[in-house]
């Protein structure tokens, strides 16, 4: 047999990548490999999602009737041996091997030579790829190497299909009435039940094709009219929800208006129309370019703002296509709104009392949709990639925001159980509301201050309503990313003053501009091969001192009436960086005082994200007043793991023993140096991590506003002294998995174990698929 070339390998992988249909993709794999390798049989076995069985998913050479039916345990037969051992098997006479298991429906007895390799993606078994022939001799080493290589290339493509599980199920022609569960991303907690109501544009922005115009003046007028109509819609929707939205969450409509009327949207689109593009195509290009500035960011909060730009573009497109938003006549029952991205303006079209949940096939936990859903107390699940709402119109659906699941057409036992859970959740949330003004104090008197993270004025009220004692991290990047030039000192002053006043007299920690590298500005291009180690944070602002001085002056002026500002410097890695920053602040204070502004020198802190700053704390102490630990970046840098890279993201865990060692070291240094220290990031919202942090002695956490009540309840339930032996045991753990296993029974002891899920008896389980 001729050895397949590397170009042939590349060709097959590219061809498979272009195949959109899963069944066609698997069929293509086995057919092309049979041709390339000149073998009699090529078969693909995939693991069931529960990792208990291997099922013949596609074959060329064996009986097609066995596809989807032939099933082996993970230790059964030659294929099962490959799966269980995760090793290659190359035999000259397979039927003579003691491990061989004959499956009658496959008709494989005539084939003797056998070569099988495991398909592994991110340390997880996906399946087994097998080739067979009639000869009675093993395949050559070259052929074996080729099959191993192609298996490594195919494993990632097959993983998404294999984990979904519908490749071996006998699916009915219609999904209507069929019980399904879909997993997404947490948008807003809670449970909701209602009929699925589809929210869908007539044409999505990404469907717009290139087109030229015959009358640029008319296209220009239509664009401006569409923008004006959308502006009126937003104003109307703002009034409709205004009575229900708490305080400044109402300002999200103002954010949409600001994006809608931003100069770059109008001017860039009009310029493309003037150059010959029709209005719809010009709009798509502009919106995609604006959204890309946010999508390129590795900060999930900033990345979510790109969704807001896309929402605005979609609404303008709807108007351009002359499809007026119809008067929505909804049935008189509870509804779950579903679509690609259900925007805050879409919510305004429905009676609020009818909305029991939100399902989005796109979006993230930091979308504006999620922010508003949290504020309104509506459970929401984002990023439901496998859900096709248009196929389930009118279906009864459960929105499980606690577990980020959508449950379609639940059978009666499951429906009854969820109704019980919804009633129980309502009582639980009423109990949390009573804790809003109570302190987070352990049973033995250890006080923890709970602050919130924010980046928009609209985030302010949810934090206050949920008992935040201040802002532990205000991201100041937003006004820089939604303008077509650097914002002026006065523009920044106006925004910062609103935030400081909203929280006064509570402290507000404003992080200076953390731009550069992975956070791009539309008007200041930065291209780097490794943005994590590049020109960002304090490095960028010190090199662009005029921007830093303008921002610091705006913050100092905004603080005159409230005196609750704390400055925070990101990505510090050197002593001279803090020396220079403090000098700039002192000069700004002197300059503003001479101008007649009654400013004061605010507390100055630094973020411990770069490991070098942790080791330099004694040298940095003279220049700082407090420390804020950025747990996300510190974990990333300590473990050398990019949590946004799917190949290694599973290795990212802030309970890794190395991270815990670092946190104890930082706390000890800060106590020695009399420096207050807090922790912000996802770690502060993780109940298991909160147990460890409390035991260590961390008394200040900054977290998402929506997690504050639950974390407060946890802290008020525990006894710190009882956690000290657990902390000692955690110091001896070798992995984050061991740490979490150690903490799980402790969480359960305090009634805080795994996310709640339906409790069913055995007969009910068989009807629902839960086990």
């Amino acid at each position: 047999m001729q050895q397949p070339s590397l170009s042939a390998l590349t060709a097959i992988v590219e061809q498979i990548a272009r195949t959109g249909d899963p069944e066609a993709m698997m069929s293509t794999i086995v057919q092309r490999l049979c041709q390339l390798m000149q073998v009699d049989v090529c078969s693909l076995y995939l693991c069931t999602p529960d990792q208990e069985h291997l099922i013949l998913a596609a074959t060329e050479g064996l009986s097609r009737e066995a596809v989807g039916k032939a099933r082996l345990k993970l230790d059964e037969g030659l294929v099962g041996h490959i799966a269980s051992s995760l090793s290659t098997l190359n035999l000259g006479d397979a039927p003579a091997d003691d491990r061989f298991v004959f499956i009658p429906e496959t008709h494989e007895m005539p084939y003797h030579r056998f070569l099988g390799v495991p398909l592994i993606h991110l340390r997880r078994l996906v399946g087994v790829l097998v080739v067979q022939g009639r000869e009675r001799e093993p395949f050559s080493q070259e052929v074996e190497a080729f099959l191993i290589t192609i298996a490594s290339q195919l494993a990632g493509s097959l993983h998404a299909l294999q984990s979904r599980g519908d490749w071996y199920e006998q699916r009915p022609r219609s999904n209507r009435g069929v019980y399904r569960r879909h997993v997404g991303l947490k948008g807003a907690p809670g449970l909701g039940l209602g009929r699925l109501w589809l929210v869908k544009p007539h044409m999505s922005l990404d469907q717009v094709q290139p087109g030229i115009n015959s009358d640029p003046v008319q296209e220009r007028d239509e664009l401006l009219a569409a923008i004006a109509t959308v502006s009126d819609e937003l104003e109307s929707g703002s009034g409709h929800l205004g009575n229900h939205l708490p305080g400044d969450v109402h300002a999200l409509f103002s954010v949409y208006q600001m994006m809608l009327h931003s100069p770059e949207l109008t001017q860039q689109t009009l310029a493309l129309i003037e150059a010959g593009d029709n209005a719809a195509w010009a709009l798509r290009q502009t919106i995609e370019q604006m959204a890309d500035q946010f999508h390129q960011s590795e900060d999930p909060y900033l990345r979510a703002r790109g969704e807001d730009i896309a929402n605005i573009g979609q609404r303008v497109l709807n108007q351009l296509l002359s499809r007026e938003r119809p008067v929505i006549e909804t049935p008189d029952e509870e509804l779950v709104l579903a679509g690609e991205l259900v925007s805050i303006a879409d919510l305004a079209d429905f009676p609020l009392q009818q909305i029991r949940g939100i399902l989005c096939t796109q979006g993230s936990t930091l979308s504006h949709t999620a922010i508003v859903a949290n504020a309104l107390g509506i459970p929401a699940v984002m990023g439901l990639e496998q859900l096709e709402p248009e196929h389930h119109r009118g279906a009864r659906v459960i929105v499980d925001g606690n577990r980020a699941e959508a449950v379609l057409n639940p059978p009666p036992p499951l429906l009854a159980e969820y109704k019980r859970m919804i009633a129980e959740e309502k009582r639980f949330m009423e109990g949390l509301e009573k804790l809003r003004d109570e302190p987070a104090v352990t049973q033995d008197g250890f006080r923890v201050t709970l602050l919130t993270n924010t980046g928009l004025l609209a985030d302010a009220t949810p934090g206050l309503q949920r008992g935040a004692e201040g802002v532990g991290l205000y991201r100041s990047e937003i006004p820089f990313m939604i303008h077509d030039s650097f914002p002026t000192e006065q523009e920044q002053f106006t925004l910062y003053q609103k935030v400081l006043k909203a929280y006064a007299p509570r402290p507000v920690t404003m992080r200076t501009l953390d731009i550069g590298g992975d956070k791009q500005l539309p008007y200041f291009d930065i291209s780097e091969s490794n943005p994590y180690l590049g020109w960002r944070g304090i490095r960028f602002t010190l090199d662009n001192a005029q921007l830093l001085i303008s921002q610091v002056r705006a913050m100092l002026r905004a603080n005159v009436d409230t005196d609750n500002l704390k400055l925070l410097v990101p990505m510090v890695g050197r002593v001279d960086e803090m020396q220079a920053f403090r000098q700039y602040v002192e000069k700004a204070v002197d300059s503003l005082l001479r101008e007649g502004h009654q400013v004061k020198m605010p507390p100055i802190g630094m973020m411990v994200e770069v490991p070098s700053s942790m080791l330099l704390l004694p040298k940095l102490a003279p220049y700082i007043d407090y420390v804020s630990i950025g747990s996300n970046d510190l974990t990333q840098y300590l473990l050398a793991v990019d949590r946004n890279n799917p190949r290694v993201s599973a290795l990212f865990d802030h309970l890794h023993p190395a991270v815990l060692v670092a946190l104890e070291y930082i706390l000890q240094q800060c106590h020695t140096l009399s420096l207050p220290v807090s922790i912000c990031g996802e770690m502060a919202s993780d109940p298991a991590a909160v147990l460890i942090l409390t035991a260590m002695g961390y008394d200040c956490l900054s977290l998402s506003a929506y997690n504050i009540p639950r974390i407060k309840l946890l802290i008020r339930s525990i006894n710190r002294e009882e956690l000290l032996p657990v902390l000692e045991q955690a110091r001896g753990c070798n992995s984050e998995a061991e740490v979490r296993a150690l903490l799980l029974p402790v969480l359960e002891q305090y009634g805080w174990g795994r996310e709640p899920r339906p409790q069913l008896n055995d007969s009910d389980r068989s009807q629902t698929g839960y086990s």
Side-chain angles (χ1 to χ4, degrees):
M1 183 187 73
Q2 184 178 359
Q3 167 65 23
S5 66
L6 182 60
S7 61
L9 168 63
T10 303
I12 187 174
V13 172
E14 290 178 351
Q15 180 182 357
I16 290 167
R18 292 193 299 269
T19 304
D21 180 70
E23 285 75 12
M25 178 177 72
M26 295 189 293
S27 179
T28 299
I29 290 172
V30 295
Q31 290 174 9
R32 292 285 289 125
L33 281 177
C34 265
Q35 296 168 4
L36 281 173
M37 303 180 70
Q38 300 176 20
V39 294
D40 299 303
V41 176
C42 180
S43 302
L44 173 64
Y45 296 81
L46 293 183
C47 280
T48 54
D50 58 12
Q51 296 278 303
E52 292 185 359
H53 292 89
L54 290 158
I55 294 179
L56 180 63
T59 186
E60 182 73 11
L62 300 183
S63 172
R64 297 287 177 86
E65 295 180 359
V67 173
K69 300 176 183 176
R71 178 185 295 246
L72 293 164
K73 294 181 180 179
L74 258 62
D75 58 353
E76 182 180 6
L78 299 177
V79 175
H81 169 77
I82 295 168
S84 61
S85 65
L86 301 181
S87 61
T88 300
L89 189 61
N90 191 354
L91 301 173
D93 191 1
D97 192 283
D98 292 340
R99 296 166 294 189
F100 180 81
V101 171
F102 176 58
I103 304 175
E105 58 262 38
T106 63
H107 303 162
E108 67 175 325
M109 282 304 291
Y111 307 108
H112 291 270
R113 68 193 322 198
F114 175 101
L115 172 61
V117 297
L119 295 160
I120 303 171
H121 178 69
L122 301 181
R123 307 186 186 186
R124 185 177 177 86
L125 180 69
V126 174
V128 175
L129 186 61
V130 174
V131 293
Q132 294 171 268
R134 297 178 183 271
E135 299 88 340
R136 294 177 181 266
E137 61 180 1
F139 286 92
S140 68
Q141 294 297 305
E142 291 77 15
V143 171
E144 182 177 327
F146 177 82
L147 196 64
I148 292 172
T149 303
I150 201 160
S152 67
Q153 296 289 320
L154 295 175
S157 299
L158 290 168
H159 168 70
L161 171 66
Q162 173 264 333
S163 60
R164 210 168 67 201
D166 56 6
W167 47 272
Y168 68 93
E169 296 177 350
Q170 297 297 316
R171 289 172 287 178
R173 293 184 179 180
S174 173
N175 285 322
R176 189 177 298 277
V178 177
Y179 165 61
R180 287 282 187 270
R181 289 168 56 209
H182 297 272
V183 179
L185 304 171
K186 292 183 179 182
L191 302 170
L193 170 65
R195 295 287 182 185
L196 188 144
W197 186 271
L198 182 64
V199 178
K200 183 180 180 180
H202 292 275
M203 174 186 284
S204 63
L205 198 63
D206 59 8
Q207 292 176 324
V208 174
Q209 298 298 312
I212 59 175
N213 71 70
S214 57
D215 187 347
V217 175
Q218 181 181 348
E219 297 281 336
R220 169 194 172 92
D221 291 345
E222 289 180 355
L223 174 72
L224 295 177
I227 291 175
T229 302
V230 173
S231 180
D232 291 342
E233 285 182 349
L234 292 173
E235 187 65 32
S236 173
S238 171
H240 175 71
L241 285 183
N243 295 329
H244 304 282
L245 288 172
D248 288 334
V249 178
H250 183 267
L252 284 173
F253 283 93
S254 299
V255 174
Y256 268 34
Q257 291 278 21
M258 180 170 57
M259 292 178 174
L260 178 65
H261 294 292
S262 62
E264 60 265 41
L265 190 155
T266 305
Q267 293 174 9
Q268 184 173 328
T269 307
L270 291 176
L272 290 171
I273 290 173
E274 190 67 28
D277 292 337
N278 66 26
W281 176 236
L283 176 68
R284 174 181 171 177
Q285 295 176 80
T286 300
I287 292 297
E288 288 181 344
Q289 182 175 339
M290 291 174 65
D292 281 347
Q293 304 302 325
F294 290 90
H295 289 154
Q296 291 172 10
S297 172
E298 297 298 337
D299 185 332
Y301 188 93
L302 296 177
R303 198 162 54 242
R305 304 288 67 82
E307 299 163 15
D308 303 326
I309 295 288
N311 263 322
I312 288 297
Q314 183 62 62
R315 296 181 74 86
V316 175
L317 177 66
N318 291 345
Q319 294 300 328
L320 273 178
L321 299 179
S322 300
R323 302 183 187 272
E324 298 294 334
R325 296 177 66 83
V327 176
I328 298 177
E329 297 181 2
T330 60
D332 187 18
E333 60 180 318
E334 296 172 335
L335 301 177
V336 169
L337 305 186
E340 288 186 0
L341 275 175
V342 180
S343 73
I344 58 174
D346 291 326
L347 296 178
D349 290 329
F350 296 84
L352 197 60
Q353 65 272 16
Q354 284 188 270
I355 304 174
R356 288 293 176 264
I358 299 171
L359 300 176
C360 295
T361 58
Q362 298 181 19
S364 70
T365 58
L366 294 169
S367 301
H368 270 163
T369 303
I371 292 174
V372 174
N374 271 283
L376 296 173
I378 300 174
V381 182
M382 314 297 293
L384 286 154
E385 295 181 356
Q386 305 304 328
L387 177 67
E388 298 178 344
E390 59 271 18
H391 294 162
H392 300 282
R393 298 171 190 249
R396 188 180 292 274
V397 58
I398 293 167
V399 181
D400 189 337
N402 299 328
R403 304 182 66 242
E405 281 191 352
V407 183
L408 288 163
N409 302 304
L414 187 61
L415 181 61
E417 177 63 8
Y418 261 107
K419 286 182 177 179
R420 182 194 66 78
M421 292 171 62
I422 289 172
E424 185 177 295
E425 177 86 1
K426 183 179 179 180
R427 289 192 297 270
F428 176 71
M429 294 307 295
E430 289 172 351
L432 289 182
E433 175 65 23
K434 296 175 183 177
L435 295 178
R436 182 181 66 182
D437 299 322
E438 297 295 325
V441 182
T442 65
Q443 293 288 310
D444 53 348
F446 183 74
R447 175 77 159 85
V448 180
T449 300
L450 297 181
L451 308 173
T452 189
N453 302 328
T454 180
L456 288 168
L457 179 61
D459 292 343
T461 297
L464 292 171
Q465 288 212 331
R466 286 165 173 80
E469 299 172 76
V471 175
L473 174 63
Y474 174 80
R475 303 174 178 91
S476 65
E477 290 78 47
I478 301 297
F480 287 81
M481 298 186 75
I482 60 177
H483 281 66
D484 61 347
S485 62
F486 288 110
T488 66
E489 179 182 321
Q490 185 61 32
E491 288 173 324
Q492 294 181 68
F493 161 77
T494 302
L495 179 60
Y496 301 152
Q497 187 181 54
K498 290 179 180 178
V499 176
L500 291 168
K501 284 185 175 180
Y503 269 88
R506 301 171 184 85
V508 175
T509 303
M510 290 190 165
R511 184 177 68 187
T512 57
L513 186 62
D514 188 8
I515 209 74
D518 65 320
K519 299 187 184 75
Q520 294 289 327
L521 297 176
Y523 45 86
F524 196 100
D525 182 54
I526 303 171
S527 299
E528 296 179 302
S529 59
N530 192 339
Y532 288 114
L533 306 181
W535 202 34
R536 58 175 299 190
I538 188 61
R539 300 169 184 173
F540 175 87
T541 51
L542 286 178
D543 287 347
N544 293 273
Q546 74 281 13
L547 300 179
L548 177 61
I549 293 170
S550 174
Q551 184 176 43
V552 168
R553 282 175 55 92
M555 290 178 175
L556 292 172
R557 288 173 52 205
N559 186 48
V560 169
D561 294 331
T562 54
D563 193 24
N564 59 339
L565 169 69
K566 298 173 69 176
L567 293 177
L568 183 62
V569 185
M571 298 300 296
V572 175
R574 302 171 56 86
V575 175
D576 55 10
E577 291 169 342
M578 283 309 307
Q579 288 175 323
F581 179 83
R582 193 168 194 96
Q583 289 171 1
Y584 279 125
V585 177
E586 290 170 348
K587 289 180 180 178
V589 170
D590 290 342
S591 175
L592 287 168
L593 286 173
R594 288 195 299 271
E595 294 172 20
H597 300 284
Q598 299 303 308
V599 298
K600 297 179 180 178
M601 188 73 179
I604 296 176
M606 74 168 195
M607 296 201 75
V608 173
E609 302 163 292
V610 182
S612 62
S613 63
M614 173 182 76
L615 302 175
L616 290 173
L617 275 170
K619 297 179 183 294
L620 286 160
Y623 309 102
I624 59 176
D625 301 298
Y626 67 96
V627 166
S628 176
I629 300 172
S631 64
N632 296 342
D633 272 330
L634 181 62
T635 300
Q636 178 170 251
Y637 287 128
L638 281 173
L639 303 184
V641 171
D642 175 5
R643 62 181 179 147
N644 295 306
N645 182 339
R647 292 186 176 89
V648 296
S649 58
L651 303 177
F652 181 97
D653 194 317
H654 42 241
L655 289 184
H656 188 286
V659 179
L660 300 185
V661 169
L663 291 176
E664 288 208 84
Y665 174 81
I666 295 168
L667 185 63
Q668 177 199 2
Q669 289 289 306
C670 288
H671 284 171
T672 301
L673 299 166
S674 299
L675 288 172
V677 58
S678 64
I679 287 188
C680 68
E682 294 176 9
M683 191 172 194
S685 298
D686 180 352
V690 169
L691 294 183
I692 286 289
L693 295 173
T694 305
M696 286 181 181
Y698 278 95
D699 59 4
C700 187
L701 306 177
S702 185
L703 59 156
S704 165
Y706 317 118
N707 290 311
I708 287 177
R710 295 175 181 270
I711 294 301
K712 180 182 290 187
L713 179 62
L714 174 62
I715 292 172
R716 289 174 61 88
S717 303
I718 63 180
N719 186 306
R720 181 171 176 251
E721 287 294 325
E722 293 177 357
L723 293 176
L724 297 180
V726 180
L727 174 61
E728 185 60 36
Q729 289 179 271
R731 292 182 178 122
C733 291
N734 295 319
S735 69
E736 59 272 28
E738 290 183 16
V739 176
R740 291 195 179 277
L742 174 67
L743 293 170
L744 181 58
V746 181
L747 285 170
E748 292 176 340
Q749 172 190 337
Y750 291 112
W752 207 275
R754 297 179 176 88
E755 291 283 6
R757 63 185 297 160
Q759 302 298 313
L760 304 174
N761 58 41
D762 292 340
S763 62
D764 290 340
R765 288 177 189 277
S766 65
Q767 298 181 53
T768 64
Y770 277 103
S771 59

